[in-house]
């Protein structure tokens, strides 16, 4: 169980769906529509009711043009744990290299199932 969860996404439909699911199941999550290319976690996280202990970044490297800056800013917040899902090995290689260059430890967790987006062999990593 968590005290509070927060979700951030560019797509307003995803935010509305997640909010509705959270309401139905009476979960302690709040969701916000943001432009992840301009997102400032070092400003946003301290303003939240509870500062996150863990950040989940699921396959956003393909969709956020400025993923390098976003990932670096998340690391700079000092949040100790990141769960990263990469869309594919080609894109994932650069993303994992960034975390390694920032002094983070990377642990492979699993390979996700293929889906209809054309991104095959997604992988999930624990970044510490």
């Amino acid at each position: 169980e968590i005290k509070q969860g927060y979700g951030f996404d560019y797509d307003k439909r995803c935010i509305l769906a997640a909010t509705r699911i959270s309401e139905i199941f009476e979960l302690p999550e709040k969701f916000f529509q943001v432009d992840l290319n301009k997102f400032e976690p070092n400003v946003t996280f301290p303003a939240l009711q509870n500062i996150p202990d863990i950040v989940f970044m699921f396959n956003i490297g393909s969709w956020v043009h400025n993923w390098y800056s976003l990932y670096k800013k998340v690391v700079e917040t000092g949040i100790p744990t990141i769960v990263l899902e990469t869309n594919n090995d080609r894109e994932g290689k650069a993303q994992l290299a960034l975390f390694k260059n920032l002094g983070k430890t990377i642990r492979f967790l699993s390979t996700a199932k293929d889906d209809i987006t054309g991104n095959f062999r997604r992988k999930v990593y624990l970044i510490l």
Side-chain angles (χ1 to χ4, degrees):
E1 290 189 32
I2 63 170
K3 291 180 187 176
Q4 183 68 56
Y6 306 99
F8 303 92
D9 199 288
Y10 181 79
D11 190 331
K12 185 176 183 174
R13 296 170 300 167
C14 291
I15 297 301
L16 292 172
T19 298
R20 186 64 187 129
I21 291 167
S22 181
E23 291 169 351
I24 290 168
F25 290 102
E26 298 178 358
L27 302 173
E29 285 91 9
K30 295 178 184 173
F31 301 93
F32 305 92
Q33 181 185 14
V34 297
D35 182 346
L36 292 172
N37 284 299
K38 299 175 183 175
F39 186 63
E40 295 291 337
N42 57 334
V43 174
T44 302
F45 293 166
L48 298 172
Q49 183 178 356
N50 296 296
I51 295 174
D53 297 319
I54 186 169
V55 172
F56 295 88
M57 294 189 287
F58 293 141
N59 64 15
I60 62 174
S62 292
W63 315 114
V64 175
H65 300 292
N66 203 6
W67 65 264
Y68 180 94
S69 177
L70 175 63
Y71 290 9
K72 188 173 183 229
K73 288 175 184 178
V74 169
V75 168
E76 290 171 350
T77 65
I79 291 171
T81 307
I82 297 168
V83 176
L84 174 72
E85 180 186 47
T86 59
N87 268 336
N88 54 60
D89 290 340
R90 181 181 48 79
E91 292 177 5
K93 184 176 180 181
Q95 294 170 34
L96 295 170
L98 169 63
F99 287 111
K100 185 176 181 182
N101 290 338
L102 292 172
K104 304 306 271 179
T105 300
I106 301 166
R107 295 188 184 150
F108 174 75
L109 293 179
S110 70
T111 300
K113 293 189 176 200
D114 294 340
D115 62 27
I116 62 171
T117 67
N119 289 298
F120 302 112
R121 294 174 295 283
R122 290 182 178 186
K123 292 188 173 122
V124 180
Y125 298 89
L126 184 63
I127 312 291
L128 303 168

